[in-house]
Structures are given as C-alpha cells and as structure tokens.
Amino acid sequence: MPNFLVILLLLLLMPLSLSAKEEGKRIQTAEKVYVYVYHLKPPYIEQLELETGLYFELVELFNRFQSKYQFVAQFVPRKRLNREIANNTLDGMILGVHPVWFKDKQKTKFLWTRPLLNDQDEFISHIKKPFDYAGKKSLYEKNIGGVRGYHYFRIAPVLKAGKAKLTPTSSELQLLEMLIKQRLDLAVISRATLNYYFSLHPHWRDLVYFSKEPHEQYYRALLSPTSLEGQFNIIESLFEQEAFLAALEGLKVKYDFSSEAVHK
C-alpha cells in the first residue's frame, strides 16, 4: 500500500513538473519586450527592488494570457524616456501613461492601447481648513504642496504670475505628512496613491478634505513605438479575452481603483 501511494503521488505531480518545465522553456525562448515604467510611487510601484506594485502585476497579466512574448517591466526615469523618444531610440513600451502627457493627443505618433486604469489627481486640504477649487483665483495666496519635478497644469499659471507659493517635496508621502501637520494650505495627489496611504494609516482619511472639483481626471494606457506594432497587437488582443478582463478588474479592486470610465 505505501508503494502504491508513492506511485500515485508521482503520477499526480508529473503534470505539474512538466508544466513547470514547459513554462521555463517558454520564458527562455520567448522574445523579450521591455515595458518601461516611471511612476516611482505606490501603488504603481511599491518596492522597486522587490518589483512589487500594480505595474509589475499588470505586466505579469500580459505574460499570463499569451505565450509569444515575454514582457519585462523595467523602471526608467521620465527624463531618460523623453531623451529616447527625442532621439527616436525608444526600444520598449511605456505603461501607465496618457496621450496628452506625450504630446500625442491625436494618437498619431505612437500606438495606444485601450484604457487600462482610471485615475484622478485630487486637490486636498486639511479638514480644519477645507479648500474647494473654483478657478485660478481660488489658488491665490495659497501655500501649495507638490512633488518636485511634477507639472500641475492648473497651478503652473498662478505660480508663474507670483500669486501663490509652491512648497516642493520629494514624494507624495512627504506631501501628505506636511498637509496633515497643517504646513500646507493644499496639495495635489493622485487618488490611487491617497488610497494606498489611507490603507496604511486609516486615521489620516478623517484629516483630509477633498475639493469637489479634482485637479485632473484621466485614464492610464500603454504607449508603444510603431516599431513594436506586432508586440503591441498581442497586448491589444488581450482585451478580447474575458479571462484577461476579469483578471484586470481583480487588480483594480485589489488596488482600489475606480471602475467608472474617466476620460480627459
């Protein structure tokens, strides 16, 4: 009887072993396609060294539902991506971006997938001193917090006119901490990032006021150079698979993204 059980166990494990070998062979033989990401903030990228966060899981979905290519997520700063685009040497795709951000509103320079995620940047303030955005003048004489290097198109003209003060920070976390300590009148942070930090610090949610009008609403998609049209078409075809769409919705729920359609 013991020998019979051992044989039965080996038979049960054999398909798994073969499957693992086949998967390893696929990864070795499949052509690698780089998917660049540059939003170094949660939940998009949680820990870069461990490759954790929404973007890495999203690229895993690309690999799970097709076998022709091995898509590889890789962090690259935005400035370097801009340089590669300017030099016409971009050799990979860019995840989590919008056509307007790459001066391609008509979608003629690059290939664009359907929207993957809906997101928005919020005007937030302390609950004791609530702020509602009502045009440029509502920003006058305010101490506004923003991440160094980011462009806030509603705020930029007011700053240029010298009507408000910008206090730059190194990260969204630092921005949120300063706001909670009432060192800022208001700040701009993406809803997804706020939800991430609220999950870690639930009491912060009660200290933050949301403007009735957000700074910006948009979707995030995947950009591809035309030189990778074949690889792009593989990802675009995934939207025809119900299993892929269900897995994508699961990621949205996991990372607390809105399921409503938001378009700029």
Side-chain angles (χ1 to χ4, degrees):
M1 183 62 71
N3 289 335
F4 171 77
L5 291 175
V6 170
I7 294 171
L8 180 61
L9 181 61
L10 289 173
L11 288 172
L12 288 172
L13 291 176
M14 188 176 295
L16 294 176
S17 177
L18 289 173
S19 177
K21 288 181 179 179
E22 289 173 358
E23 176 64 12
K25 184 178 180 181
R26 182 191 76 82
I27 291 175
Q28 289 178 353
T29 58
E31 177 187 338
K32 285 187 178 181
V33 180
Y34 287 102
V35 178
Y36 299 126
V37 295
Y38 67 86
H39 297 104
L40 194 55
K41 60 182 180 179
Y44 316 101
I45 298 175
E46 293 179 354
Q47 295 187 65
L48 182 58
E49 298 79 8
L50 300 178
E51 297 189 345
T52 58
L54 172 62
Y55 283 164
F56 292 103
E57 291 197 46
L58 192 48
V59 172
E60 286 177 10
L61 288 191
F62 296 161
N63 290 323
R64 187 189 309 170
F65 291 95
Q66 60 80 42
S67 57
K68 189 170 183 178
Y69 297 104
Q70 181 193 357
F71 293 97
V72 181
Q74 183 171 310
F75 173 77
V76 175
R78 174 65 191 266
K79 287 184 178 180
R80 178 179 163 188
L81 291 174
N82 289 345
R83 188 166 61 249
E84 296 292 340
I85 290 172
N87 295 335
N88 199 29
T89 54
L90 181 66
D91 62 352
M93 303 176 179
I94 306 177
L95 180 61
V97 292
H98 190 282
V100 170
W101 303 346
F102 287 82
K103 299 179 181 179
D104 192 24
K105 191 174 183 179
Q106 303 304 319
K107 302 181 182 179
T108 56
K109 297 179 182 178
F110 306 103
L111 302 173
W112 294 90
T113 63
R114 281 166 259 188
L116 290 162
L117 305 163
N118 299 317
D119 206 350
Q120 63 185 47
D121 293 338
E122 304 283 1
F123 279 116
I124 61 171
S125 52
H126 196 280
I127 195 68
K128 291 183 178 179
K129 194 177 179 181
F131 167 82
D132 274 305
Y133 178 75
K136 293 179 182 179
K137 289 186 178 181
S138 63
L139 297 170
Y140 287 5
E141 307 304 323
K142 301 295 186 185
N143 181 11
I144 306 170
V147 177
R148 189 175 289 106
Y150 284 19
H151 177 73
Y152 305 98
F153 76 95
R154 293 192 189 277
I155 297 172
V158 179
L159 296 174
K160 187 176 181 179
K163 298 293 186 180
K165 174 188 175 184
L166 177 68
T167 298
T169 66
S170 60
S171 68
E172 276 79 1
L173 177 58
Q174 186 181 6
L175 198 60
L176 191 52
E177 289 174 334
M178 288 184 67
L179 183 89
I180 288 171
K181 293 175 182 177
Q182 300 186 60
R183 294 179 181 175
L184 300 169
D185 293 319
L186 62 118
V188 178
I189 305 182
S190 73
R191 168 73 74 155
T193 299
L194 282 168
N195 287 340
Y196 176 86
Y197 285 122
F198 287 161
S199 69
L200 298 178
H201 309 279
H203 63 286
W204 284 3
R205 189 184 299 268
D206 297 328
L207 300 175
V208 173
Y209 177 84
F210 288 81
S211 169
K212 294 179 180 64
E213 182 177 342
H215 178 269
E216 183 180 15
Q217 294 178 312
Y218 50 89
Y219 62 81
R220 295 180 183 272
L222 179 128
L223 171 162
S224 172
T226 55
S227 59
L228 296 176
E229 184 175 3
Q231 295 86 333
F232 168 84
N233 287 337
I234 290 294
I235 290 182
E236 185 68 6
S237 69
L238 298 180
F239 287 88
E240 306 301 327
Q241 298 184 31
E242 291 186 5
F244 171 78
L245 294 177
L248 180 59
E249 286 302 313
L251 271 186
K252 292 178 183 179
V253 171
K254 176 180 178 179
Y255 288 99
D256 204 10
F257 274 81
S258 169
S259 60
E260 297 178 1
V262 179
H263 296 271
K264 190 186 276 183

PDB file of all heavy atoms in Angstrom, residues 40-54:
ATOM      1  N   LEU A  40       7.400  56.377  -9.808  1.00  0.00           N
ATOM      2  CA  LEU A  40       8.021  55.750  -8.646  1.00  0.00           C
ATOM      3  C   LEU A  40       7.255  56.127  -7.380  1.00  0.00           C
ATOM      4  O   LEU A  40       7.747  56.870  -6.520  1.00  0.00           O
ATOM      5  CB  LEU A  40       9.491  56.168  -8.540  1.00  0.00           C
ATOM      6  CG  LEU A  40      10.383  55.365  -7.594  1.00  0.00           C
ATOM      7  CD1 LEU A  40      10.328  53.884  -7.940  1.00  0.00           C
ATOM      8  CD2 LEU A  40      11.810  55.868  -7.637  1.00  0.00           C
ATOM      9  N   LYS A  41       6.035  55.625  -7.282  1.00  0.00           N
ATOM     10  CA  LYS A  41       5.182  55.892  -6.128  1.00  0.00           C
ATOM     11  C   LYS A  41       4.142  54.784  -6.041  1.00  0.00           C
ATOM     12  O   LYS A  41       3.761  54.185  -7.061  1.00  0.00           O
ATOM     13  CB  LYS A  41       4.498  57.256  -6.266  1.00  0.00           C
ATOM     14  CG  LYS A  41       3.616  57.396  -7.501  1.00  0.00           C
ATOM     15  CD  LYS A  41       3.006  58.783  -7.584  1.00  0.00           C
ATOM     16  CE  LYS A  41       2.111  58.932  -8.821  1.00  0.00           C
ATOM     17  NZ  LYS A  41       1.502  60.282  -8.887  1.00  0.00           N
ATOM     18  N   PRO A  42       3.689  54.484  -4.811  1.00  0.00           N
ATOM     19  CA  PRO A  42       2.660  53.461  -4.681  1.00  0.00           C
ATOM     20  C   PRO A  42       1.304  54.011  -5.122  1.00  0.00           C
ATOM     21  O   PRO A  42       1.086  55.229  -5.091  1.00  0.00           O
ATOM     22  CB  PRO A  42       2.671  53.162  -3.170  1.00  0.00           C
ATOM     23  CG  PRO A  42       3.145  54.432  -2.529  1.00  0.00           C
ATOM     24  CD  PRO A  42       4.131  55.008  -3.504  1.00  0.00           C
ATOM     25  N   PRO A  43       0.390  53.149  -5.549  1.00  0.00           N
ATOM     26  CA  PRO A  43       0.527  51.691  -5.636  1.00  0.00           C
ATOM     27  C   PRO A  43       1.151  51.208  -6.935  1.00  0.00           C
ATOM     28  O   PRO A  43       1.317  50.012  -7.121  1.00  0.00           O
ATOM     29  CB  PRO A  43      -0.933  51.233  -5.549  1.00  0.00           C
ATOM     30  CG  PRO A  43      -1.671  52.284  -6.308  1.00  0.00           C
ATOM     31  CD  PRO A  43      -0.985  53.578  -5.939  1.00  0.00           C
ATOM     32  N   TYR A  44       1.501  52.137  -7.827  1.00  0.00           N
ATOM     33  CA  TYR A  44       2.042  51.752  -9.130  1.00  0.00           C
ATOM     34  C   TYR A  44       3.340  50.961  -8.952  1.00  0.00           C
ATOM     35  O   TYR A  44       3.527  49.905  -9.546  1.00  0.00           O
ATOM     36  CB  TYR A  44       2.283  52.997  -9.991  1.00  0.00           C
ATOM     37  CG  TYR A  44       1.155  53.981  -9.921  1.00  0.00           C
ATOM     38  CD1 TYR A  44       1.244  55.129  -9.125  1.00  0.00           C
ATOM     39  CD2 TYR A  44      -0.030  53.760 -10.617  1.00  0.00           C
ATOM     40  CE1 TYR A  44       0.199  56.028  -9.040  1.00  0.00           C
ATOM     41  CE2 TYR A  44      -1.082  54.661 -10.530  1.00  0.00           C
ATOM     42  CZ  TYR A  44      -0.960  55.793  -9.739  1.00  0.00           C
ATOM     43  OH  TYR A  44      -2.005  56.674  -9.642  1.00  0.00           O
ATOM     44  N   ILE A  45       4.263  51.525  -8.168  1.00  0.00           N
ATOM     45  CA  ILE A  45       5.477  50.814  -7.767  1.00  0.00           C
ATOM     46  C   ILE A  45       5.567  50.930  -6.248  1.00  0.00           C
ATOM     47  O   ILE A  45       5.656  52.040  -5.725  1.00  0.00           O
ATOM     48  CB  ILE A  45       6.733  51.422  -8.414  1.00  0.00           C
ATOM     49  CG1 ILE A  45       6.669  51.304  -9.943  1.00  0.00           C
ATOM     50  CG2 ILE A  45       7.994  50.738  -7.896  1.00  0.00           C
ATOM     51  CD1 ILE A  45       7.820  51.996 -10.661  1.00  0.00           C
ATOM     52  N   GLU A  46       5.536  49.815  -5.554  1.00  0.00           N
ATOM     53  CA  GLU A  46       5.613  49.839  -4.095  1.00  0.00           C
ATOM     54  C   GLU A  46       7.065  49.742  -3.632  1.00  0.00           C
ATOM     55  O   GLU A  46       7.571  50.614  -2.947  1.00  0.00           O
ATOM     56  CB  GLU A  46       4.757  48.712  -3.515  1.00  0.00           C
ATOM     57  CG  GLU A  46       3.258  48.901  -3.763  1.00  0.00           C
ATOM     58  CD  GLU A  46       2.424  47.775  -3.211  1.00  0.00           C
ATOM     59  OE1 GLU A  46       3.003  46.769  -2.734  1.00  0.00           O
ATOM     60  OE2 GLU A  46       1.186  47.889  -3.252  1.00  0.00           O
ATOM     61  N   GLN A  47       7.725  48.649  -4.003  1.00  0.00           N
ATOM     62  CA  GLN A  47       9.149  48.477  -3.691  1.00  0.00           C
ATOM     63  C   GLN A  47       9.864  48.091  -4.982  1.00  0.00           C
ATOM     64  O   GLN A  47       9.698  46.977  -5.483  1.00  0.00           O
ATOM     65  CB  GLN A  47       9.345  47.399  -2.629  1.00  0.00           C
ATOM     66  CG  GLN A  47       8.748  47.754  -1.277  1.00  0.00           C
ATOM     67  CD  GLN A  47       9.102  46.748  -0.211  1.00  0.00           C
ATOM     68  OE1 GLN A  47      10.265  46.576   0.164  1.00  0.00           O
ATOM     69  NE2 GLN A  47       8.096  46.054   0.303  1.00  0.00           N
ATOM     70  N   LEU A  48      10.649  49.024  -5.498  1.00  0.00           N
ATOM     71  CA  LEU A  48      11.306  48.809  -6.780  1.00  0.00           C
ATOM     72  C   LEU A  48      12.262  47.625  -6.730  1.00  0.00           C
ATOM     73  O   LEU A  48      12.311  46.817  -7.661  1.00  0.00           O
ATOM     74  CB  LEU A  48      12.061  50.079  -7.191  1.00  0.00           C
ATOM     75  CG  LEU A  48      12.783  50.044  -8.542  1.00  0.00           C
ATOM     76  CD1 LEU A  48      11.799  49.733  -9.672  1.00  0.00           C
ATOM     77  CD2 LEU A  48      13.486  51.365  -8.803  1.00  0.00           C
ATOM     78  N   GLU A  49      13.003  47.495  -5.632  1.00  0.00           N
ATOM     79  CA  GLU A  49      13.987  46.407  -5.522  1.00  0.00           C
ATOM     80  C   GLU A  49      13.314  45.036  -5.571  1.00  0.00           C
ATOM     81  O   GLU A  49      13.864  44.087  -6.131  1.00  0.00           O
ATOM     82  CB  GLU A  49      14.789  46.544  -4.220  1.00  0.00           C
ATOM     83  CG  GLU A  49      15.610  47.815  -4.107  1.00  0.00           C
ATOM     84  CD  GLU A  49      14.774  49.029  -3.718  1.00  0.00           C
ATOM     85  OE1 GLU A  49      13.576  48.851  -3.382  1.00  0.00           O
ATOM     86  OE2 GLU A  49      15.300  50.156  -3.762  1.00  0.00           O
ATOM     87  N   LEU A  50      12.117  44.943  -4.998  1.00  0.00           N
ATOM     88  CA  LEU A  50      11.391  43.671  -4.975  1.00  0.00           C
ATOM     89  C   LEU A  50      10.432  43.530  -6.144  1.00  0.00           C
ATOM     90  O   LEU A  50       9.777  42.497  -6.295  1.00  0.00           O
ATOM     91  CB  LEU A  50      10.610  43.546  -3.655  1.00  0.00           C
ATOM     92  CG  LEU A  50      11.437  43.576  -2.366  1.00  0.00           C
ATOM     93  CD1 LEU A  50      10.528  43.499  -1.146  1.00  0.00           C
ATOM     94  CD2 LEU A  50      12.445  42.429  -2.356  1.00  0.00           C
ATOM     95  N   GLU A  51      10.349  44.563  -6.959  1.00  0.00           N
ATOM     96  CA  GLU A  51       9.450  44.591  -8.114  1.00  0.00           C
ATOM     97  C   GLU A  51       8.016  44.280  -7.702  1.00  0.00           C
ATOM     98  O   GLU A  51       7.351  43.398  -8.259  1.00  0.00           O
ATOM     99  CB  GLU A  51       9.928  43.625  -9.198  1.00  0.00           C
ATOM    100  CG  GLU A  51      11.295  43.998  -9.763  1.00  0.00           C
ATOM    101  CD  GLU A  51      11.683  43.178 -10.984  1.00  0.00           C
ATOM    102  OE1 GLU A  51      11.052  42.138 -11.242  1.00  0.00           O
ATOM    103  OE2 GLU A  51      12.640  43.572 -11.686  1.00  0.00           O
ATOM    104  N   THR A  52       7.534  45.043  -6.708  1.00  0.00           N
ATOM    105  CA  THR A  52       6.164  44.874  -6.252  1.00  0.00           C
ATOM    106  C   THR A  52       5.353  46.124  -6.585  1.00  0.00           C
ATOM    107  O   THR A  52       5.883  47.230  -6.649  1.00  0.00           O
ATOM    108  CB  THR A  52       6.104  44.628  -4.733  1.00  0.00           C
ATOM    109  OG1 THR A  52       6.723  45.733  -4.043  1.00  0.00           O
ATOM    110  CG2 THR A  52       6.811  43.342  -4.366  1.00  0.00           C
ATOM    111  N   GLY A  53       4.077  45.922  -6.791  1.00  0.00           N
ATOM    112  CA  GLY A  53       3.186  47.025  -7.099  1.00  0.00           C
ATOM    113  C   GLY A  53       2.324  46.729  -8.310  1.00  0.00           C
ATOM    114  O   GLY A  53       2.490  45.722  -9.002  1.00  0.00           O
ATOM    115  N   LEU A  54       1.387  47.606  -8.561  1.00  0.00           N
ATOM    116  CA  LEU A  54       0.405  47.424  -9.627  1.00  0.00           C
ATOM    117  C   LEU A  54       1.031  47.209 -10.993  1.00  0.00           C
ATOM    118  O   LEU A  54       0.618  46.315 -11.748  1.00  0.00           O
ATOM    119  CB  LEU A  54      -0.519  48.639  -9.649  1.00  0.00           C
ATOM    120  CG  LEU A  54      -1.509  48.736 -10.805  1.00  0.00           C
ATOM    121  CD1 LEU A  54      -2.474  47.561 -10.803  1.00  0.00           C
ATOM    122  CD2 LEU A  54      -2.273  50.034 -10.748  1.00  0.00           C
TER     123      LEU A  54
END
